[in-house]
Amino acid sequence: MVERAQPIKPRLGPKRDFAPWADPAASPLVRFERVAKRFGAISAVGRLSLDIFAGEFFALLGPSGCGKTTLLRLLAGFETPDEGRILLEGADLAGMPPYRRPTNMMFQSYALFPHLSVERNIAFGLEQERMPKPQIAARVEEMLALVKLEGFARRKPDRLSGGERQRVALARALAKRPKALLLDEPMAALDKKLRAETQFELIELQAKLGTTFVIVTHDQEEAMILADRMAVMERGRIVQVGTPAEIYEQPSSRYVADFVGDVNLLEGRLTATGASESLVHGNGGVQLRIAQPVDAAPGALVWVALRPEKVRIGLERPTEARENALAGTVVDVGYLGNLSVYKVRLDDGALMTATLSNRTRLVERTIGWNDRVWLSWPPEAAIVLTR
Amino acid sequence: MRKGLSSFNLVSAALGLAFLYLPIAILVIYSFNASRLVTVWGGWSLAWYRELLADGAMLESAWVSVRVALVSATAATILGTLAAVALARGGRFRGRLLFTGLLYAPLVMPEVITGLALLLLFVAIGLDRGFWTITIAHTSVTLCFVAVVVESRLLTFDRSLEEAAMDLGAPPLRSFLLVILPLIWPAIAAGFLLAFTLSLDDLVIASFTTGPGATTLPIRIYSEVRLGVKPEINAICTLMIVLVALGVIAAAVLNRGRASRRAEAVDLTAKL
């Protein structure tokens, strides 16, 4: 995948200063406490702890088989944990069947009832709690307006397009006003353009309702666009939790750096570390300067992680003394319209990627195949990873 | 794509159909025979149908058969559906494979053995043979057919539908009644019709488990034919064929209606 400018979630008015996770006095809406779940001999979720706060849009991100869907199903009550506890507003959910939990799920397949009309689908959950008929009718109407499907009330699901079905599923899951809405890969079945539109509608909807949304996705871009915070998962464990910007700019490991966005990883040995700066001896014999203390002893194996859009590419060696600079040869140039991607073979054999945004309409590029170039970046651009 | 049938296919189809339906066609035609002799054509007539309506014993047997078929098919449908739900939705419970095997074994069990086993059971527990023993026997034989039909339907639909129903607050029984049952009822109806027709035309098991006052139609026909074929038998058989055919066509139409609606919907979404 080619790196594009990472969209940072637009902070809507009421959510601008929203950060309950940073408040030590705040108590979480959902708390996973050392939760483990095994299927036969396979561990799907391994002693995992996680707090999700009321009003958050939280994303569980990871490749398929990492346990993110199992985690969601544990919360919905479709699976029971082998170890640990799941708390909702401080109360243990153990033994509470899915039909009593104040959470609702939007399924990947949407799971609309094919024999019921759109309005009966949305009313289904309300009928189960024996809400009076006039109230149900009012709530259904409200939900149809919320997802902009007025006029579709009497249609059967097989007469709807994919996008409309997705909205019905969303309306049905929101109709009971759940404490938390669980979304399992909600946009997997939509095409790219519709997905982008739906993502922004979902953000707006969540900000408007204030309901806690927990979404499962394998698409890092989707997680970054939607979430207030996200958890990156790997083989049943959470490897990092944070805001999209934290995860992107300060990944905790090579796995996270590589999974979320594109990254150049340069292997080296830590030579010195101080309060504000560290030096890494790269494999190519070049000293790299990083504006960050590193929690490792000198001589340790480390990786310098550098996003392609933070690399400068030029024909001349930069004159600024603090600037890190590596020489190499261009082996590939990709033109993407908004960006150009340069693949550069360094003199030590490693491959690095640099992206440049195309600011002018000039078609002729000054740097091309087989050109000798200098890649450079300031000490503040890269991060040192020890894992 | 296919363009009609080749002449080879046409001949094979004609041969197969002739082999299947020629005897039945002859039986139906001869039921309208004016002649008393079964093998001689004497012109069209409804005489044997009139005679049939006057034959109290034959009508009595027909009534017994219909009652046995209705009661046993109803019981088999309920039990077979429950078994199918347990198999398709029970997950990996202990002894699942054994249960499946036990449920499906009667499909291939020789009827003579089933009949004899049931007879021995009824004798052992001292149950007087008659209407209820035939009904119980037919229930146990046709149950597995219902289970097969219903289970195959259950396996084709999205498991998350039930989870969605539960997630929205419906306990398991309610989600079954509100979501699963409406979706599988064509299969249940088809299973019922299958059980009904199997019970209606069963001779072997009925003769093992019958008793005084409970002579089903196939038993009556069989015993009369041994004394010589009367054209009246052709008439009753024709009526049975009509009844069974109506049931089968009803089941097919019922399933086709749903299938074509679905195909239409797929067509529609493809256009959008």
Side-chain angles (χ1 to χ4, degrees):
Chain A
M1 208 201 82
V2 167
E3 190 54 43
R4 258 159 295 156
Q6 282 303 314
I8 299 295
K9 180 181 164 146
R11 295 277 158 172
L12 298 167
K15 292 199 91 175
R16 191 176 295 275
D17 298 317
F18 177 77
W21 52 87
D23 176 7
S27 66
L29 175 76
V30 177
R31 167 165 273 176
F32 290 91
E33 257 182 28
R34 293 184 307 282
V35 172
K37 175 71 187 173
R38 281 175 294 273
F39 294 113
I42 300 153
S43 166
V45 172
R47 294 217 187 81
L48 167 161
S49 296
L50 175 68
D51 285 349
I52 298 170
F53 293 86
E56 253 195 285
F57 202 137
F58 195 93
L60 294 167
L61 174 68
S64 59
C66 73
K68 56 192 192 302
T69 298
T70 306
L71 202 59
L72 202 70
R73 290 174 59 81
L74 282 163
L75 181 53
F78 297 127
E79 312 287 352
T80 42
D82 296 323
E83 279 175 49
R85 301 193 301 164
I86 302 170
L87 307 173
L88 187 84
E89 293 182 322
D92 195 342
L93 287 176
M96 190 188 278
Y99 48 88
R100 296 228 179 80
R101 296 196 181 192
T103 56
N104 283 120
M105 175 111 129
M106 189 182 146
F107 291 82
Q108 184 173 359
S109 63
Y110 308 149
L112 298 179
F113 305 133
H115 59 299
L116 300 179
S117 63
V118 166
E119 60 180 349
R120 292 288 315 282
N121 262 285
I122 298 173
F124 189 92
L126 306 169
E127 284 163 4
Q128 300 313 309
E129 55 184 40
R130 295 179 205 286
M131 185 186 262
K133 280 232 161 66
Q135 272 182 13
I136 292 183
R139 181 75 64 86
V140 168
E141 206 166 309
E142 181 192 331
M143 287 300 141
L144 284 172
L146 193 68
V147 296
K148 304 188 184 92
L149 277 181
E150 300 101 329
F152 286 75
R154 295 188 194 281
R155 290 237 200 141
K156 286 279 180 69
D158 59 10
R159 299 276 185 192
L160 299 175
S161 72
E164 288 158 1
R165 275 179 220 189
Q166 199 250 14
R167 286 152 185 269
V168 176
L170 187 63
R172 186 179 69 176
L174 282 169
K176 293 187 82 170
R177 302 211 197 292
K179 292 222 164 82
L181 177 72
L182 317 179
L183 306 106
D184 185 7
E185 301 268 8
M187 293 172 226
L190 303 181
D191 63 57
K192 201 173 172 178
K193 196 125 196 173
L194 193 55
R195 199 179 307 167
E197 273 171 43
T198 312
Q199 282 166 351
F200 282 101
E201 283 174 5
L202 213 54
I203 296 169
E204 228 173 281
L205 196 67
Q206 198 267 342
K208 191 153 98 188
L209 296 173
T211 308
T212 310
F213 281 24
V214 183
I215 187 175
V216 157
T217 179
H218 65 273
D219 179 346
Q220 51 100 7
E221 234 177 276
E222 182 169 293
M224 296 191 74
I225 292 171
L226 293 173
D228 292 311
R229 276 197 313 156
M230 56 205 257
V232 183
M233 292 185 70
E234 182 192 19
R235 278 182 274 136
R237 288 169 193 283
I238 289 177
V239 285
Q240 192 175 3
V241 182
T243 64
E246 280 166 9
I247 301 257
Y248 187 76
E249 302 295 353
Q250 290 140 39
S252 65
S253 65
R254 285 175 293 154
Y255 174 80
V256 175
D258 193 37
F259 192 78
V260 181
D262 278 0
V263 71
N264 293 301
L265 290 167
L266 299 166
E267 203 178 270
R269 296 267 167 200
L270 188 66
T271 45
T273 178
S276 64
E277 207 169 70
S278 305
L279 294 174
V280 172
H281 190 77
N283 280 357
V286 183
Q287 192 87 318
L288 301 174
R289 193 184 294 273
I290 296 98
Q292 163 213 8
V294 179
D295 186 22
L301 185 64
V302 295
W303 293 266
V304 174
L306 182 63
R307 299 290 181 189
E309 75 277 10
K310 296 186 169 69
V311 183
R312 280 197 276 265
I313 184 164
L315 296 168
E316 309 287 324
R317 187 186 178 122
T319 47
E320 165 71 54
R322 290 182 71 244
E323 189 94 349
N324 298 296
L326 296 170
T329 310
V330 174
V331 293
D332 210 347
V333 184
Y335 175 70
L336 295 166
N338 56 341
L339 296 174
S340 290
V341 180
Y342 297 88
K343 302 256 182 212
V344 176
R345 177 77 62 195
L346 299 181
D347 292 347
D348 68 5
L351 201 64
M352 260 183 87
T353 307
T355 55
L356 245 70
S357 61
N358 297 324
R359 291 169 198 283
T360 64
R361 289 183 56 246
L362 285 179
V363 180
E364 286 289 316
R365 285 181 298 277
T366 49
I367 298 170
W369 289 66
N370 295 327
D371 281 351
R372 287 287 297 168
V373 291
W374 285 91
L375 298 177
S376 64
W377 64 95
E380 294 76 23
I383 184 168
V384 178
L385 300 174
T386 55
R387 284 185 288 143
Chain B
M1 297 303 283
R2 282 179 303 166
K3 269 194 181 162
L5 291 167
S6 73
S7 56
F8 174 71
N9 285 342
L10 208 63
V11 171
S12 344
L15 269 176
L17 286 177
F19 203 77
L20 283 171
Y21 288 105
L22 200 59
I24 293 175
I26 289 171
L27 182 142
V28 172
I29 291 166
Y30 271 90
S31 77
F32 296 102
N33 193 354
S35 165
R36 167 151 286 278
L37 292 165
V38 181
T39 46
V40 179
W41 182 251
W44 296 97
S45 153
L46 286 172
W48 305 114
Y49 287 89
R50 276 197 293 278
E51 190 138 321
L52 182 66
L53 287 177
D55 187 340
M58 193 63 90
L59 290 180
E60 169 68 28
S61 293
W63 180 229
V64 169
S65 269
V66 168
R67 266 159 54 221
V68 167
L70 276 177
V71 175
S72 69
T74 306
T77 302
I78 294 168
L79 295 173
T81 302
L82 292 178
V85 169
L87 277 181
R89 294 296 187 253
R92 292 159 293 186
F93 61 86
R94 279 177 78 87
R96 188 183 190 282
L97 197 67
L98 185 67
F99 183 58
T100 313
L102 287 175
L103 190 64
Y104 291 164
L107 287 174
V108 291
M109 189 81 79
E111 284 187 316
V112 177
I113 294 174
T114 313
L116 187 62
L118 284 161
L119 174 64
L120 291 176
L121 173 77
F122 293 141
V123 171
I125 62 175
L127 199 61
D128 283 339
R129 270 155 291 136
F131 175 82
W132 286 107
T133 48
I134 301 179
T135 306
I136 292 169
H138 280 180
T139 304
S140 79
V141 172
T142 54
L143 186 156
C144 52
F145 288 90
V146 178
V148 170
V149 174
V150 175
E151 195 198 355
S152 65
R153 175 85 183 101
L154 275 172
L155 292 176
T156 59
F157 81 76
D158 187 2
R159 184 82 209 252
S160 57
L161 286 175
E162 292 163 78
E163 288 184 340
M166 283 211 268
D167 186 64
L168 291 166
L173 181 64
R174 275 250 285 285
S175 25
F176 179 78
L177 294 176
L178 293 175
V179 174
I180 304 171
L181 207 56
L183 293 175
I184 62 169
W185 78 265
I188 294 177
F192 175 86
L193 289 168
L194 191 60
F196 184 83
T197 51
L198 283 171
S199 164
L200 204 61
D201 73 0
D202 166 69
L203 172 64
V204 179
I205 289 162
S207 19
F208 274 102
T209 53
T210 187
T215 307
T216 63
L217 198 54
I219 296 177
R220 171 81 59 190
I221 293 169
Y222 184 67
S223 55
E224 297 229 346
V225 166
R226 281 197 302 184
L227 305 173
V229 181
K230 285 196 296 179
E232 187 193 331
I233 300 292
N234 291 348
I236 187 85
C237 289
T238 302
L239 290 179
M240 272 179 81
I241 291 166
V242 170
L243 185 64
V244 171
L246 282 178
V248 172
I249 291 168
V253 166
L254 212 141
N255 269 317
R256 243 242 322 238
R258 293 178 67 85
S260 67
R261 264 213 305 282
R262 204 169 302 129
E264 213 178 303
V266 169
D267 207 39
L268 194 78
T269 41
K271 272 186 218 134
L272 288 173

